Amino acid sequence: MNSAADACAPLLTVSGLEQSFGGVMALAGIDFQVPAGLIYAVIGPNGAGKTTLFNALCGFCQPAAGSIRLDGRELLGQPPYRIAAAGVARTFQNLQLFFNMSVRENVMVGAHLRAHTGLLAAALRLPRVRAEEDRLRAWADDALTLCDLSAWAERPAAVLPYGLMKRVEIARALAAQPRLLLLDEPAAGLNDTETLDLRELITRIRASGVTILLVEHHMPLVMSIADRLLVLDYGCVLAEGSPAVIQADPRVIAAYLGGAESCLDVE
Amino acid sequence: MAGFYLFAAAVLLLPWLGIDPYFITVVGVAAGLHIILAVGLNLLMGYAGQISLGHAAFFAIGAYASAILTTRYAWPGLLALAAGLVLAGSIAWLLARPILRLHGHYLAMATLGFGVIAHVIMVQASGWTGGPDGLGGIPPLNLFGWVVDSDTRWYAVMAAATLLALWLSLNIIDSRIGRALRAVRGSEFAAQIMGIDTARAKTQVFVVSALFAAFAGSLFAHQQSFVSPDSFNLAISVELVTMVVIGGMASTFGAAFGAIALTLLREGLVVFEDYEMLIHGALLMVVMIILPQGLFVGIGQGLRRVLALVLSRQP
Ligand SMILES: Nc1ncnc2c1ncn2[C@@H]1O[C@H](COP(=O)(O)OP(=O)(O)OP(=O)(O)O)[C@@H](O)[C@H]1O
Ligand SMILES: [Mg+2]
């Protein structure tokens, strides 16, 4: 798997990325490449800068220096909606569902960029608008099916159990048909069964050709599905490599709970 | 859309029910006007989650555009109405980017300021607006030769205009654009990440709600044949917000319900005219405390819950 993937050109190339908040260097010059078609995990202790990295990638914060290239195209400095149009979608560590909408409507918003209806056409409900609505609904239902959420489509997003809300976020991101999917701690708050289901879902998403960047603290999950890992600590890259290499890296072990080896173990 | 047809049927049937004609031609017409205003403001407030405490200003722009252009320059009514729409839409478009960058209290203050400035202009620019005394002698609206010069005709025009406003609002909300607006309210952050240009979405809805208000303003000017700053002061802006909130935010029919409720209330309270603002304020407080989701939406939810309970009790 790895050898085949290594041959691919990188989908994402990040270099020299710097982001500071006041005095805190949240990202202190990050470099890494994500080959297309892989599950690429980003791990690191709390406050290491993982979420900040995601925010920079999707245009939500403006890094002071560096470059973010998707397929050679520079994304840095673009507004979030342009970056979304370039093929980047994400989920959030703190849920950002649209609680004022149904599950299906949430996912239909995910497909926003695949449709074109403008304000005037919508207000007059032209026939092509109806056709496009049907298409949007079908796309949303595809994503819901993939995430095993079909039964919940009509429910208000606000009444779902927490684990399913996290799934809706994934479905919403998938409805955009992204090339790069950023998952920020998708397993946080999930029980064991839900985590197993999640692992299966992420594998399915990779199989459909989407490159995945995964931030996660759940080591058994990360080590079992990641093709490669990036370890961040205090905004710096501590290590990069395959799961086996990372698990054996003494610096990584030291960064996690001052050397408690167990927390990097798979079981 | 079932609600729309129901509403249309009610509007058509109302004149034949043998109700006191005053209630149909005066109260009904006023209610229609308020529905257009409230439904437009609801797009901005209820769905996109952006407050406007200066909405009477756009109502005024439509009204004064029609009043000034038809009386001073003898423009045909429909042309003046179109000019009012263009003017209100342009001003809304220019204001939207700087104003809608603000959130919460700041947005409330900024829109409030806009409403106050507009009111000052109406009072002070008396060469154009007639100042505090207002502007009279506005000719009746002429719709391609059909002159709207009787109460019955006004009822017909206002009914059509109200249904048009409702139809447009329902269409917008149940579309890609409407979902984008609701997404802005749900999580502006996530909306941006999903590819929505939120600044553009907010600008669009601000312009649309200004157009609804200006449209109502033009009709109002012709129907009253007189306009004065008193019809567009802060109290009116607050009343419009009250309609949206009372009906239940983010519900087109809720806004219409709120508009009708406040119109009837105003009718019932003519004797207490001086206390109108006080009563609206108290009403707003009580509804916010007891039924924060609004009367229309709240009662609807309550009924559904009772119904579910009754049905589940059955063997
Ligand atoms: N908007 C912000 N303003 C100020 N400081 C911030 C902001 N966002 C992040 N930080 C700081 O940047 C550092 C990195 O935070 P970040 O959220 O990226 O960490 P993380 O790796 O995602 O941690 P966790 O595993 O807890 O989610 C932290 O010190 C945090 O306090
Ligand atoms: Mg984080």
Side-chain angles (χ1 to χ4, degrees):
Chain A
M1 172 107 238
N2 273 346
S3 53
D6 282 348
C8 295
L11 175 68
L12 179 73
T13 307
V14 172
S15 47
L17 201 60
E18 276 178 31
Q19 170 77 52
S20 60
F21 297 107
V24 184
M25 269 304 233
L27 298 175
I30 303 275
D31 302 275
F32 67 98
Q33 296 192 333
V34 180
L38 294 199
I39 296 177
Y40 191 95
V42 179
I43 63 169
N46 291 115
K50 306 179 297 290
T51 297
T52 306
L53 172 65
F54 273 19
N55 286 343
L57 289 179
C58 66
F60 188 67
C61 59
Q62 268 66 49
S67 136
I68 300 168
R69 288 176 178 277
L70 189 77
D71 243 358
R73 221 182 105 195
E74 182 61 58
L75 297 185
L76 196 85
Q78 305 252 17
Y81 63 89
R82 287 259 166 73
I83 294 181
V88 180
R90 74 175 280 188
T91 66
F92 302 87
Q93 184 174 353
N94 305 312
L95 282 177
Q96 294 286 339
L97 275 185
F98 307 123
F99 286 122
N100 52 343
M101 292 191 228
S102 73
V103 168
R104 181 185 280 120
E105 286 171 328
N106 266 271
V107 180
M108 285 169 87
V109 174
H112 184 79
L113 287 172
R114 295 166 70 187
H116 307 282
T117 297
L119 176 64
L120 195 62
L124 300 175
R125 206 156 191 84
L126 303 178
R128 66 180 157 86
V129 175
R130 286 169 210 234
E132 195 171 67
E133 277 291 295
D134 291 343
R135 243 173 293 144
L136 275 167
R137 177 178 273 260
W139 287 332
D141 286 348
D142 289 345
L144 287 170
T145 308
L146 185 69
C147 298
D148 287 327
L149 285 166
S150 303
W152 300 86
E154 306 287 337
R155 309 293 293 274
V159 306
L160 260 56
Y162 182 76
L164 291 183
M165 287 183 179
K166 299 207 75 154
R167 248 168 200 269
V168 175
E169 281 209 342
I170 298 178
R172 182 177 65 181
L174 284 176
Q177 282 200 322
R179 306 172 66 198
L180 180 66
L181 174 63
L182 316 179
L183 301 174
D184 198 350
E185 304 203 11
L190 300 193
N191 63 33
D192 290 349
T193 349
E194 288 172 330
T195 307
L196 282 178
D197 289 346
L198 175 71
R199 183 166 89 178
E200 200 252 331
L201 174 60
I202 295 176
T203 326
R204 246 187 294 163
I205 296 171
R206 174 180 56 187
S208 72
V210 180
T211 307
I212 297 166
L213 210 56
L214 170 71
V215 163
E216 187 48 67
H217 284 296
H218 194 289
M219 284 308 144
L221 173 68
V222 171
M223 294 301 172
S224 64
I225 60 170
D227 298 301
R228 281 190 88 79
L229 285 96
L230 176 77
V231 188
L232 294 183
D233 195 19
Y234 293 109
C236 298
V237 174
L238 197 65
E240 208 266 354
S242 67
V245 170
I246 295 298
Q247 271 171 299
D249 193 316
R251 287 169 309 168
V252 177
I253 296 165
Y256 270 90
L257 299 179
E261 236 166 286
S262 58
C263 61
L264 280 177
D265 283 352
V266 171
E267 251 349 307
Chain B
M1 270 335 222
F4 177 77
Y5 294 118
L6 214 67
F7 191 91
V11 168
L12 288 178
L13 283 178
L14 199 61
W16 316 104
L17 294 181
I19 305 169
D20 181 352
Y22 171 83
F23 257 92
I24 291 161
T25 55
V26 178
V27 183
V29 166
L33 200 74
H34 289 151
I35 291 173
I36 300 170
L37 286 162
V39 164
L41 182 58
N42 180 49
L43 287 172
L44 177 72
M45 257 182 73
Y47 287 111
Q50 313 295 313
I51 192 158
S52 170
L53 287 178
H55 222 57
F58 294 114
F59 184 37
I61 290 170
Y64 274 100
S66 282
I68 294 170
L69 292 173
T70 55
T71 57
R72 296 195 198 281
Y73 301 96
W75 281 34
L78 281 181
L79 203 61
L81 184 148
L85 290 179
V86 170
L87 186 64
S90 312
I91 291 176
W93 188 77
L94 287 174
L95 279 177
R97 294 247 168 190
I99 271 197
L100 295 175
R101 256 206 312 252
L102 305 171
H103 294 272
H105 307 312
Y106 300 102
L107 179 61
M109 295 304 288
T111 52
L112 187 77
F114 169 61
V116 170
I117 291 170
H119 191 256
V120 169
I121 293 174
M122 285 172 243
V123 175
Q124 298 296 330
S126 48
W128 282 73
T129 63
D133 296 335
L135 206 59
I138 302 165
L141 195 59
N142 185 327
L143 298 174
F144 310 104
W146 188 67
V147 182
V148 190
D149 55 2
S150 73
D151 285 350
T152 338
R153 287 185 174 192
W154 265 114
Y155 181 82
V157 168
M158 205 56 90
T162 306
L163 289 173
L164 176 69
L166 283 171
W167 184 71
L168 292 174
S169 169
L170 290 169
N171 284 349
I172 290 173
I173 284 317
D174 190 21
S175 77
R176 170 178 182 263
I177 300 293
R179 279 187 301 274
L181 292 178
R182 286 181 283 161
V184 168
R185 181 174 181 211
S187 163
E188 194 166 342
F189 179 22
Q192 288 179 349
I193 302 300
M194 297 331 300
I196 295 165
D197 181 348
T198 54
R200 184 181 146 90
K202 289 197 274 184
T203 302
Q204 282 187 336
V205 72
F206 196 59
V207 169
V208 169
S209 74
L211 292 178
F212 273 57
F215 177 56
S218 287
L219 295 180
F220 176 73
H222 283 288
Q223 192 248 341
Q224 298 281 315
S225 84
F226 169 78
V227 292
S228 82
D230 285 349
S231 305
F232 313 103
N233 58 22
L234 174 62
I236 302 297
S237 287
V238 172
E239 191 176 353
L240 295 178
V241 170
T242 313
M243 289 173 188
V244 173
V245 173
I246 283 192
M249 307 242 266
S251 157
T252 299
F253 289 109
F257 171 88
I260 295 169
L262 279 208
T263 311
L264 292 176
L265 191 72
R266 196 196 256 186
E267 210 42 49
L269 294 177
V270 259
V271 271
F272 303 110
E273 204 175 344
D274 294 342
Y275 303 101
E276 202 168 53
M277 187 120 170
L278 200 71
I279 293 163
H280 285 157
L283 195 65
L284 199 57
M285 274 171 58
V286 171
V287 169
M288 288 287 39
I289 293 168
I290 301 176
L291 264 182
Q293 66 273 59
L295 282 178
F296 183 81
V297 175
I299 292 173
Q301 283 172 352
L303 280 180
R304 228 165 298 152
R305 217 166 296 151
V306 170
L307 202 69
L309 206 71
V310 170
L311 288 178
S312 68
R313 284 274 172 78
Q314 269 162 15

